[in-house]
Amino acid sequence: MNCPYCRNPDSRVVDSRVADDGVSIRRRRQCTACSRRFTTLETTSLNVIKQSGAAEPFSRTKVINGVRKACQGRPVTDHDLAVLAQEVEETVRMSGAAEIPAHQIGLAILEPLQRLDEVAYLRFASVYQDFTSLSDFESAIAKLREERSDLPRGNQRPLTAE
């Protein structure tokens, strides 16, 4: 790591701490030449393999933007979307793989989105799972109702419709 002040390639680690719920490490460093201190943040790289075969870095922003479209007109805040994106990233990183297919990102989005807003979930699933008929929607709604009936009485929310 080059010193940001004098560009010296040598530095020593003064302090290390886990950051972002264990996703990264924050290191406090001191330059061996000018003695100035600076901070680095170390994370593992996670690449998404697109259907075309191209690889690109994982982006929470892309997850948020993709889900935001499904949440238009729904009572979902930017904070809710940020929490969802963080949960998706944590789920994907738990696999331990450095490269993950884009399809797995979509699968990782479905469960937290279903908990967040069922209508947004149906919208996202209809595109992601390529619904082609009303029966696809009916099957998805029936599955949601079935899962809901498995919940204890106090935890059930009414199925909302637009």
Side-chain angles (χ1 to χ4, degrees):
M1 179 78 219
N2 290 336
C3 172
Y5 305 106
C6 71
R7 309 301 299 158
N8 180 40
D10 272 341
S11 64
R12 67 182 189 88
V13 175
V14 177
D15 181 41
S16 292
R17 295 182 187 184
V18 174
D20 295 331
D21 296 328
V23 175
S24 60
I25 298 176
R26 179 187 170 274
R27 297 197 194 278
R28 194 75 181 132
R29 297 178 175 272
Q30 184 172 17
C31 177
T32 56
C34 69
S35 297
R36 293 182 76 179
R37 291 185 176 196
F38 58 97
T39 301
T40 59
L41 193 63
E42 298 176 17
T43 60
T44 57
S45 65
L46 177 63
N47 287 325
V48 177
I49 307 300
K50 312 276 284 179
Q51 286 182 344
S52 67
E56 65 179 46
F58 176 85
S59 168
R60 283 187 190 181
T61 304
K62 282 190 138 189
V63 170
I64 290 170
N65 290 339
V67 174
R68 180 174 277 132
K69 293 173 188 168
C71 294
Q72 284 181 334
R74 303 298 305 154
V76 176
T77 66
D78 286 342
H79 175 73
D80 293 335
L81 293 176
V83 169
L84 181 136
Q86 180 177 351
E87 185 176 345
V88 168
E89 181 175 4
E90 288 171 359
T91 299
V92 169
R93 285 190 184 276
M94 292 292 262
S95 73
E99 293 183 334
I100 189 153
H103 180 72
Q104 276 190 277
I105 304 287
L107 292 176
I109 289 171
L110 289 173
E111 184 183 336
L113 183 57
Q114 180 180 344
R115 287 192 314 266
L116 180 63
D117 187 278
E118 290 169 331
V119 172
Y121 164 79
L122 283 172
R123 289 175 177 171
F124 186 86
S126 71
V127 173
Y128 183 73
Q129 296 175 338
D130 198 27
F131 287 11
T132 57
S133 67
L134 284 176
S135 64
D136 292 336
F137 279 97
E138 289 168 345
S139 297
I141 291 170
K143 184 179 174 191
L144 283 172
R145 286 191 172 130
E146 183 180 308
E147 289 173 5
R148 173 178 293 227
S149 68
D150 294 341
L151 291 174
R153 239 9 204 166
N155 292 353
Q156 294 180 7
R157 295 175 293 151
L159 265 182
T160 56
E162 289 188 79

